[in-house]
Amino acid sequence: MFTEQGPTVRELAVQALSSIEHGYDLLAPKFDHTPYRTPDRVLDAVTDEVRRLGPFGTGLDVCCGTGAGVGVLRRLCRERVVGVDFSAGMLAEARAAFPPEGERPAAEEPAGEAPVAEGPAVDWVRADARSLPFAPAFDLALSFGAFGHFLPAERFGLFAEVYGSLRPGGQFVFPIGAPPPVGSRAYWSLLGFDAAMRVRNALWRPRFVMYYRTFRLGDVLEDLTRAGFVVRLMPLTELGRRPDGSPRARLVVATRE
């Protein structure tokens, strides 16, 4: 992260001592130059798998950040895509990354190539995902890398809000990685991060909720089912397999019937 384009140590420290909303407002201009941005290979793997579930007319990116998931939805949906987030700074970066059709600078158009066909309309909404302002209007909802910002007690309510934003037959999808082996470097890194965050939140206000080990698959499936979804798992084979042959990541597909 500590590159010329990414945030400095001081900037990260200021963010870590802020609220979630203000912290992301501060980080937004440099967010895409940090490891927090979902890697393209994950976005592409999800796109390829979800395309088989379509077609889709309308899509919703829950906790859209700078718009990585909106980019996925624009490849999958025909009519309209909406990104929702509660950080004004992140939404500003997302709007800049996806300007309305006709506003793209001429320099961005490849020389000698025909203009790219128009995609679905894109809208941006500032709102808390725990209280989404949508009627059942979407065929597809997705989210990348945001669930650590919700405490386990909030997860059912979040899923219920997404459920209420989908049309019957609509699908809520997101990738979930396999837990790292106990005792591995990744295991201790995540354990240490969560422990440090708990100490920080016990000693400092406002809280900054971000935990890596609270989004366990069994609990997630239970809360999705309680919210009314019918759930299945699909392996994201493009992201590889673990030594025991199991996939490194799965796609959760939750359908509102």
Side-chain angles (χ1 to χ4, degrees), residues 20-230:
I20 303 175
E21 180 179 353
H22 184 56
Y24 275 103
D25 286 347
L26 295 173
L27 183 61
K30 298 182 178 181
F31 180 82
D32 285 349
H33 299 289
T34 74
Y36 304 132
R37 195 256 190 194
T38 303
D40 287 339
R41 67 188 187 93
V42 175
L43 301 174
D44 292 341
V46 170
T47 301
D48 292 342
E49 203 64 41
V50 175
R51 184 175 282 118
R52 304 174 189 177
L53 306 175
F56 305 102
T58 54
L60 175 66
D61 184 1
V62 181
C63 305
C64 66
T66 55
V70 167
V72 170
L73 290 171
R74 291 188 77 246
R75 296 156 65 183
L76 297 170
C77 299
R78 301 186 306 268
E79 301 165 11
R80 179 180 178 235
V81 170
V82 176
V84 60
D85 202 283
F86 77 159
S87 165
M90 298 293 268
L91 287 172
E93 294 297 317
R95 289 190 182 96
F98 295 92
E101 293 295 333
E103 293 186 13
R104 179 179 297 174
E108 293 186 11
E109 295 292 347
E113 294 186 12
V116 178
E118 290 188 8
V122 177
D123 296 307
W124 307 97
V125 175
R126 186 181 180 192
D128 191 323
R130 293 166 296 189
S131 183
L132 293 173
F134 305 115
F138 297 97
D139 304 309
L140 176 64
L142 52 70
S143 190
F144 290 98
F147 295 122
H149 293 304
F150 300 92
L151 296 171
E154 300 173 314
R155 190 168 49 227
F156 166 75
L158 169 67
F159 292 162
E161 288 294 314
V162 177
Y163 183 93
S165 302
L166 291 169
R167 296 177 175 136
Q171 298 175 85
F172 178 33
V173 304
F174 52 86
I176 187 167
V182 175
S184 66
R185 181 176 179 180
Y187 173 87
W188 290 114
S189 295
L190 298 183
L191 183 66
F193 181 94
D194 282 10
M197 188 61 70
R198 292 184 188 281
V199 171
R200 179 256 187 241
N201 287 332
L203 300 176
W204 190 267
R205 291 291 184 274
R207 294 187 306 173
F208 191 97
V209 176
M210 179 64 213
Y211 298 109
Y212 284 104
R213 301 178 69 251
T214 58
F215 200 70
R216 297 182 177 89
L217 180 59
D219 298 333
V220 169
L221 297 181
E222 180 180 348
D223 284 341
L224 285 167
T225 302
R226 287 177 56 215
F229 287 105
V230 176

